[in-house]
Every structure is written in C-alpha cells, then in structure tokens.
Amino acid sequence: MLNITLKKLTISLLITAGASGLAFAEPLAPKTTEHAITKQAAAAQAPITTQQEQTALTRISINAADAATIAKHLVGIGPAKAEAIVSWRTTNGRFTEAEQLLQIKGIGQATLNKNKNRITL
C-alpha cells in the first residue's frame, strides 16, 4: 500500500508484485469523508473571534470611559494618550464630536479614522 498526500487529499494505491512484474490496482477511495469535508467547510465559514476582533467591535464613550478602558479598546491609543483624553475631558468638558480628539497631542487624523467606528460620545 502506498499513501500519497497532496494538500489535504490522500490517494491510496495498492501495488502488487506478480510473476510478470509490478501491477497497479484501482485507486482506493480517499480517506476524507463527506462529513469531514462538510465540517471543514463549516469551520472555514465560521466567524473568527480573536481578542483583537472582539475589541474592534466594542464601542467606547470617550465622555464616560476611564483611561484604562480607552487604551484597551481604541487602536493606536496607549495609556499615555488615554490619560491625555481623560485630562482633556476634565479640563474642557464633554466631547461634542470625535474630531476634538485631534486637539490632543499625538492623536492625528489617521488614528481618528481607525477609531471612528469605535467611538461614541
């Protein structure tokens, strides 16, 4: 029996030796069953829920969240920038639009664009 595996496809051949030399029998059915293929297809279509994707789905109120929460859920915002957001809010009052984040040193248009769908007021 000779088993050859090519990118998830297993082909089995039965090779017999007789008086006239080697002979090849009909290939055996692949070892992959329809159930296994269906299960693989379902797994490929299932949504991936990594920690990063779960974080991406979380909306954060920049008017209510603490610095740790802001740093955890906003892209490109670390602890120092998150503290600056809270400090700005303390000094200037509530944010009335997300674009006010551009007034905070270190937060530019690219960072704001990455976070627009994550920010609530």
Side-chain angles (χ1 to χ4, degrees):
M1 173 88 56
L2 173 65
N3 288 325
I4 302 171
T5 303
L6 302 170
K7 290 189 178 181
K8 297 185 182 181
L9 174 65
T10 303
I11 302 171
S12 299
L13 300 173
L14 180 61
I15 304 172
T16 58
S20 61
L22 293 176
F24 293 91
E26 290 291 323
L28 300 174
K31 290 183 180 180
T32 306
T33 64
E34 183 178 339
H35 175 70
I37 292 170
T38 304
K39 193 174 182 182
Q40 289 172 350
Q45 293 176 358
I48 301 170
T49 55
T50 63
Q51 179 62 33
Q52 184 178 15
E53 288 173 336
Q54 288 174 352
T55 299
L57 300 174
T58 304
R59 294 184 58 108
I60 300 301
S61 170
I62 57 174
N63 284 318
D66 62 6
T69 303
I70 292 170
K72 179 179 178 183
H73 293 287
L74 297 185
V75 176
I77 304 292
K81 287 182 191 171
E83 286 292 341
I85 291 170
V86 173
S87 178
W88 188 97
R89 183 176 73 202
T90 302
T91 303
N92 299 296
R94 297 179 58 83
F95 289 93
T96 57
E97 57 184 24
E99 286 72 18
Q100 289 174 309
L101 288 172
L102 297 173
Q103 297 174 16
I104 299 169
K105 183 178 180 179
I107 299 179
Q109 190 64 51
T111 302
L112 179 62
N113 290 343
K114 291 176 189 174
N115 289 296
K116 277 223 174 180
N117 61 343
R118 296 177 173 94
I119 295 172
T120 63
L121 301 175

